[in-house]
């Protein structure tokens, strides 16, 4: 290697870009108690003292202290994940990050778009997510597109261990999540959040995102995490959902049955019987209805026109 090429190599190495922008969360923080508590704990958090990050770096034989640039990325990314996390225990799984890793990178100023090629990169975010996944604080699902052979957008869920690293015990985490549900009920927002989650799932189905529909082990893990966080409350809610589902099915069947009945303006037999009944002593109409119950117990007022027709056809000829 000539002296000129040596100098050129050194110059290229010294000008290597570790990151294009200083990480800073610029997204919107939801005005909820859960987000406020987690973000406040994060502001006081020392990543060098995080037990899971410490254990990971020891395992990798890295120096114990995290480089300042990476700590800045950790902080901004954690804030973005807390802001975009799903804390609603009524949804399928707990603590899903409801946006893509690219969107996370954009919110903390780490999304770089090459002016010449248009290629998007966010290596600091990708590496931080890899660190947290390896440390056991995230569940990350990746998949490759069979046609393009490129990675699909990943789906991310925060593990309870992430919050434990911020100083929240399982009991505190459970209390925060249950109180979040009560807050939704008090504000009348449960249906709003239910619709938002449905839209989230529809958006995932339309997008090139890693699919979990046939990932049964992953889904079982996420359900286990939810049960672990909610404890007995999770079982009660599952039972409540089952009961509500049964009631909804019964309601649908009832509505279908009613929709098959003649419209109110076509209820000729009901009108005939009502007109006759208004001119009779109560004992006469009651006697006719009781006799109908004994002979045709399968008929009742919910049977519609069939019931009223049966009564009309049995009105005494002298009482019409």
């Amino acid at each position: 290697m000539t002296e000129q090429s040596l100098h050129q190599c050194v110059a290229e190495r010294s000008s290597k870009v570790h990151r294009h922008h200083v990480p800073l969360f610029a997204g919107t923080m939801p005005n909820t108690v859960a987000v406020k508590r987690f973000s406040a704990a994060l502001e006081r958090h020392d990543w060098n003292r995080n037990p899971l990050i410490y254990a990971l770096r020891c395992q990798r034989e890295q120096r114990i202290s995290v480089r300042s640039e990476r700590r800045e990325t950790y902080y901004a990314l954690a804030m973005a994940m807390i802001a975009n996390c799903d804390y609603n225990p009524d949804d399928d799984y707990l603590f899903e990050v409801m946006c893509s890793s690219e969107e996370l990178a954009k919110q903390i100023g780490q999304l770089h778009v090459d002016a010449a090629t248009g290629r998007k990169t966010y290596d600091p975010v990708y590496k931080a997510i890899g660190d947290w996944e390896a440390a056991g604080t995230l569940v990350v699902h990746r998949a490759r597109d069979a046609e393009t052979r490129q990675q699909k957008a990943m789906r991310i869920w925060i593990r309870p261990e992430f919050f434990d690293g911020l100083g929240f015990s399982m009991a505190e985490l459970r209390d925060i999540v249950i109180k979040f549900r009560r807050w939704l009920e008090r504000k009348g927002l449960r249906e709003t959040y239910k619709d938002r989650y449905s839209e989230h799932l529809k958006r995932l189905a339309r997008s090139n995102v890693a699919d979990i529909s046939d990932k049964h082990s992953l889904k079982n893990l996420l359900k286990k995490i939810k049960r672990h966080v909610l404890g007995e409350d999770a079982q009660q809610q599952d039972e409540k959902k089952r009961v509500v589902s049964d009631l909804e099915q019964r309601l649908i069947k009832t509505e279908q049955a009613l929709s098959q009945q003649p419209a109110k303006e076509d209820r000729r037999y009901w009108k005939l019987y009502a007109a006759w009944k208004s001119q009779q002593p109560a004992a006469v109409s009651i006697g006719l209805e009781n006799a109908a119950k004994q002979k045709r117990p399968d008929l009742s007022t919910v049977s519609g026109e069939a019931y009223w027709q049966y009564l009309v056809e049995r009105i005494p000829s002298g009482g019409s």
Side-chain angles (χ1 to χ4, degrees):
M1 179 180 290
T2 64
E3 183 177 353
Q4 181 179 2
S5 61
L6 179 61
H7 282 298
Q8 183 179 358
C9 182
V10 171
E12 289 176 354
R13 288 186 179 181
S14 62
S15 62
K16 182 179 179 181
V17 177
H18 291 286
R19 61 182 183 182
H20 296 277
H21 311 283
V22 176
L24 178 67
F25 175 66
T28 302
M29 296 297 289
N31 187 27
T32 64
V33 175
V35 171
K36 289 179 179 179
R37 289 193 63 181
F38 293 139
S39 60
L42 179 61
E43 289 176 356
R44 301 187 301 268
H45 186 61
D46 182 356
W47 289 103
N48 283 328
R49 295 179 179 273
N50 186 294
L52 294 173
I53 297 298
Y54 175 86
L56 175 66
R57 296 183 73 83
C58 289
Q59 180 184 347
R60 291 177 171 177
E61 298 183 353
Q62 295 175 311
R63 69 177 189 179
I64 301 303
S65 60
V66 183
R67 187 163 50 89
S68 61
E69 288 186 357
R70 180 153 296 190
R71 288 202 308 271
E72 291 172 356
T73 301
Y74 279 1
Y75 173 78
L77 180 59
M79 195 66 77
M81 285 190 174
I82 287 172
N84 291 279
C85 183
D86 179 14
Y87 303 103
N88 187 3
D90 292 336
D91 293 340
D92 295 337
Y93 314 110
L94 268 178
F95 308 137
E96 180 175 5
V97 179
M98 304 279 277
C99 65
S100 65
S101 54
E102 179 181 318
E103 176 61 25
L104 290 173
K106 181 179 179 182
Q107 290 184 12
I108 67 171
Q110 292 293 284
L111 179 63
H112 175 69
V113 182
D114 189 282
T117 64
R119 181 172 178 265
K120 297 178 180 180
T121 58
Y122 41 93
D123 290 346
V125 169
Y126 196 83
K127 290 176 180 177
I129 290 173
D131 286 348
W132 292 351
E133 181 186 15
T137 63
L138 297 180
V139 175
V140 181
H141 177 55
R142 301 175 179 83
R144 185 179 293 273
D145 191 309
E147 296 181 0
T148 63
R149 296 184 179 181
Q150 294 181 343
Q151 288 289 340
K152 295 183 177 182
M154 63 182 74
R155 288 184 70 177
I156 304 171
W157 293 265
I158 302 177
R159 285 178 176 267
E161 288 82 355
F162 177 90
F163 301 106
D164 180 66
L166 296 179
F168 293 91
S169 67
M170 183 58 67
E172 290 175 311
L173 187 59
R174 180 179 298 119
D175 183 64
I176 290 172
V177 171
I178 292 175
K179 284 183 177 178
F180 182 81
R181 176 193 283 141
R182 292 173 185 167
W183 176 79
L184 291 179
E185 292 175 347
R186 189 169 64 252
K187 294 293 185 178
L189 295 173
R190 289 188 72 173
E191 285 301 316
T192 301
Y193 271 67
K194 181 180 179 181
D195 293 340
R196 188 185 75 162
Y197 186 70
S198 297
E199 288 300 318
H200 169 68
L201 295 180
K202 291 177 183 177
R203 185 170 62 253
L204 292 179
R206 295 191 301 266
S207 306
N208 191 31
V209 179
D211 184 25
I212 69 167
S213 59
D214 60 344
K215 305 300 179 183
H216 304 295
S217 296
L218 173 60
K219 291 193 289 186
N220 288 336
L221 170 63
L222 296 172
K223 289 178 181 177
K224 182 179 179 180
I225 291 173
K226 180 179 177 180
R227 288 194 300 267
H228 184 53
V229 172
L230 298 181
E232 292 296 325
D233 188 69
Q235 297 179 6
Q236 294 173 3
Q237 287 301 316
D238 289 344
E239 178 64 18
K240 183 178 179 180
K241 280 187 177 181
R242 186 189 64 78
V243 172
V244 170
S245 179
D246 291 343
L247 290 174
E248 288 177 344
Q249 291 300 318
R250 291 181 185 178
L251 180 60
I252 291 172
K253 291 180 180 178
T254 302
E255 290 177 344
Q256 289 175 344
L258 291 174
S259 66
Q260 295 172 358
Q261 294 180 12
K264 288 186 177 180
E265 58 269 25
D266 296 329
R267 296 172 66 186
R268 186 169 68 91
Y269 288 104
W270 175 81
K271 291 179 180 178
L272 289 173
Y273 183 75
W276 173 81
K277 184 177 180 178
S278 65
Q279 299 175 5
Q280 306 300 318
V284 175
S285 60
I286 291 174
L288 179 60
E289 292 169 9
N290 288 338
K293 290 179 181 178
Q294 293 177 357
K295 294 181 180 179
R296 290 294 303 275
D298 57 307
L299 291 177
S300 65
T301 53
V302 298
S303 302
E305 282 290 272
Y307 174 69
W308 305 116
Q309 181 179 356
Y310 182 85
L311 291 175
V312 169
E313 290 175 349
R314 280 152 185 79
I315 291 177
S317 57
S320 58

